[in-house]
Amino acid sequence: MTLVAGIDSSTQSCKVVIRDAETGALHREGRASHPEGTSVDPNAWWDALSHALHEAGGLADVDAISVAGQQHGMVTMDADGHLVRDALLWNDTRSGQAAADLVTELGAKTWAEAIGTVPVASLTVTKLRWLRENEPENAEKVAAVSLPHDWLSWRLVGNDVGNADFASLATDRSDASGTGYWSPFTNQYRPDLLEHAFGAQPVLPRVLKPTEVSGTVSQDLGGRAIVAAGAGDNAGGALGLGAAPGDVVVSIGTSGTVFAVTNQPTADQSGTVAGFADAAGAYLPLVATLNASRVLDAAARMLDVDHHELSRLALSVPAGSDGLTLVPYFEGERTPNKPDATGTLHGMRLANTTPAHLARAAFEGVLCGLADGLDALVRLGVSVERISLIGGGAQSEALRKIAPTILGLPVVVPPPGEYVADGAARQAAWALAAQSSPGAAAPTWRREGTQTYEATPAPHVREQYAAVQDLV
């Protein structure tokens, strides 16, 4: 039996799954938490990965491994491999002004045509501009820049402080496409954009093709498994689902995302849709919101209930929450681009200021933002044949039932799973197969237990939301 490992190094935790390379059957798994915050020491990710791998039984019998990680985070190293500062994560909005400046300087159209995306605070390029302007002494130390998944893969093949081989620093198309200085149209870096933003040309990871490998894990981890290209988390989720053109995925985790697999790249100069690449050689136009599952966490905390009770309360009142609307920009927002916004509650009356109404408004606020994202994809010509709902939020009965009313289409909910980690494992199996058969296709792993929730559209909910969402 051949085993492969998939890693999901997300904002909140590290998950490891070890699966049969041929069937996808789960053999063992492990997990460890990440620290809170939007500025994090990457060594904490390595410690969590080490713990999760130990909990999963190690890599001694594993033949391939792949890391899917949170996108955009800025990991900076000096010439010896020391970390220059804590990594700024995708949801750190301090570079909001830097993003606005970059768009003003070159124009939204120029950025969209160059990299498929108009800069917002989440993109790495904006964080590098922020570093240059606010911490010039640190900026001068930067010899190499990577993303979270790149850095972890680099550590897996044996690199560390004092043993820093930047030639083995590697990434993939999907994660590179979220930096702001790599083009999905040409499959090449745009050093001119990096120079414009940062004023220097640090070493960047080489960009691997879907089945290429960056090396073999270090001897202290077993010295056996090849390390596949890895991916950004959303691309990993798409690969884990087996998404194909026509599939739209709505993922509700720390962030909310709506993305689709397409055969052609996209360029949206409005800045709503990010024109990313996927992990399999195609494209992944994506809309992201900063506020998703933690809005539901906040609602449960305010009401002093658990998530099961929050779901029950939400389903006990009608669509539209009798006029109560929550605009959930609790941590600013990326889509629309309002990094300094706050959450607001509108339409309060004596009759709708109940726990149930607030619970329903929280679910509807999250979903209305994602529905706006779906509309943006459709405007770019993205085909929508099926909507899949994944992420931690998809475990909520209320979210599963409310989603079709807001999105206006039936929603397919796959069985609960670690789809990002599974996508990484599937990529590892694909890379392993390609070592002996270069033209091998990604393995097909079957899943049972998918449910479909039919749509009973409630357009008035989105009309309520649209009427107040800009009043922030």
Side-chain angles (χ1 to χ4, degrees):
M1 179 185 301
T2 301
L3 297 179
V4 294
I7 297 166
D8 173 14
S9 183
S10 72
T11 311
Q12 295 179 317
S13 64
C14 180
K15 285 86 70 177
V16 174
V17 298
I18 295 179
R19 294 188 173 273
D20 185 301
E22 181 178 354
T23 67
L26 180 65
H27 279 256
R28 30 186 220 269
E29 57 189 325
R31 173 186 298 263
S33 296
H34 284 161
E36 294 284 340
T38 64
S39 180
V40 173
D41 181 354
N43 286 305
W45 303 334
W46 179 251
D47 291 343
L49 173 56
S50 300
H51 179 87
L53 283 172
H54 178 76
E55 189 175 280
L59 297 175
D61 57 350
V62 172
D63 287 302
I65 187 171
S66 180
V67 181
Q70 53 178 307
Q71 288 187 263
H72 313 305
M74 181 190 71
V75 181
T76 50
M77 291 177 283
D78 69 13
D80 295 320
H82 292 96
L83 293 161
V84 172
R85 70 169 333 275
D86 285 356
L88 296 184
L89 307 192
W90 61 274
N91 56 348
D92 190 297
T93 60
R94 73 185 70 183
S95 61
Q97 185 58 52
D101 291 344
L102 289 171
V103 174
T104 298
E105 290 160 11
L106 297 183
K109 186 173 184 289
T110 296
W111 283 102
E113 292 178 347
I115 60 168
T117 304
V118 178
V120 291
S122 57
L123 266 62
T124 315
V125 70
T126 72
K127 300 178 189 304
L128 286 169
R129 168 59 72 87
W130 178 90
L131 185 69
R132 171 187 170 186
E133 293 180 340
N134 292 274
E135 297 179 359
E137 69 287 355
N138 281 334
E140 289 180 4
K141 298 176 185 176
V142 175
V145 178
S146 69
L147 302 169
H149 117 250
D150 314 341
W151 186 79
L152 288 170
S153 296
W154 187 71
R155 292 291 307 272
L156 282 170
V157 300
N159 291 284
D160 200 355
V161 174
N163 184 34
D165 176 13
F166 291 145
S168 62
L169 192 60
T171 189
D172 86 309
R173 294 173 68 252
S174 70
D175 228 1
S177 65
T179 60
Y181 41 82
W182 185 87
S183 169
F185 308 111
T186 64
N187 287 318
Q188 294 179 333
Y189 281 116
R190 289 291 304 263
D192 56 323
L193 298 179
L194 178 60
E195 178 77 33
H196 177 82
F198 190 52
Q201 292 286 341
V203 174
L204 301 175
R206 59 195 174 103
V207 182
L208 303 179
K209 297 177 182 178
T211 58
E212 284 190 282
V213 302
S214 63
T216 304
V217 298
S218 59
Q219 289 298 319
D220 60 335
L221 291 173
R224 169 175 172 173
I226 60 171
V227 180
D233 50 2
N234 293 298
L239 198 58
L241 280 171
D247 287 334
V248 172
V249 180
V250 177
S251 177
I252 300 181
T254 304
S255 64
T257 54
V258 184
F259 54 89
V261 176
T262 63
N263 290 321
Q264 299 296 326
T266 59
D268 177 15
Q269 67 184 60
S270 77
T272 301
V273 179
F276 297 150
D278 80 344
Y283 303 92
L284 200 79
L286 178 147
V287 179
T289 62
L290 286 180
N291 298 278
S293 63
R294 285 189 288 187
V295 174
L296 306 180
D297 293 341
R301 186 169 61 251
M302 285 189 289
L303 298 175
D304 196 23
V305 298
D306 61 18
H307 280 274
H308 178 78
E309 179 63 8
L310 186 74
S311 177
R312 187 197 69 78
L313 286 168
L315 292 173
S316 71
V317 296
S321 202
D322 290 323
L324 191 67
T325 301
L326 174 66
V327 180
Y329 300 163
F330 290 178
E331 296 186 298
E333 188 47 80
R334 169 177 171 175
T335 307
N337 185 24
K338 295 178 179 290
D340 299 319
T342 58
T344 54
L345 195 61
H346 299 269
M348 289 184 287
R349 299 194 305 270
L350 291 176
N352 65 16
T353 49
T354 72
H357 287 90
L358 179 58
R360 179 94 189 193
F363 283 99
E364 291 179 341
V366 169
L367 286 163
C368 281
L370 294 168
D372 288 346
L374 179 61
D375 288 349
L377 291 178
V378 171
R379 285 195 296 272
L380 288 183
V382 173
S383 173
V384 183
E385 298 175 10
R386 179 176 64 169
I387 297 177
S388 295
L389 184 66
I390 64 170
Q395 299 179 37
S396 165
E397 181 185 7
L399 195 138
R400 295 193 301 267
K401 289 184 174 180
I402 295 171
T405 72
I406 305 296
L407 300 176
L409 293 167
V411 169
V412 173
V413 182
E418 298 293 350
Y419 285 95
V420 175
D422 289 348
R426 187 169 178 239
Q427 186 193 57
W430 189 13
L432 185 64
Q435 300 305 295
S436 55
S437 301
T444 300
W445 293 346
R446 295 186 178 277
R447 289 184 181 272
E448 304 294 335
T450 296
Q451 294 180 292
T452 299
Y453 290 79
E454 297 296 334
T456 304
H460 69 284
V461 180
R462 294 195 61 195
E463 291 169 4
Q464 284 179 195
Y465 187 83
V468 298
Q469 71 179 118
D470 291 328
L471 303 177
V472 294

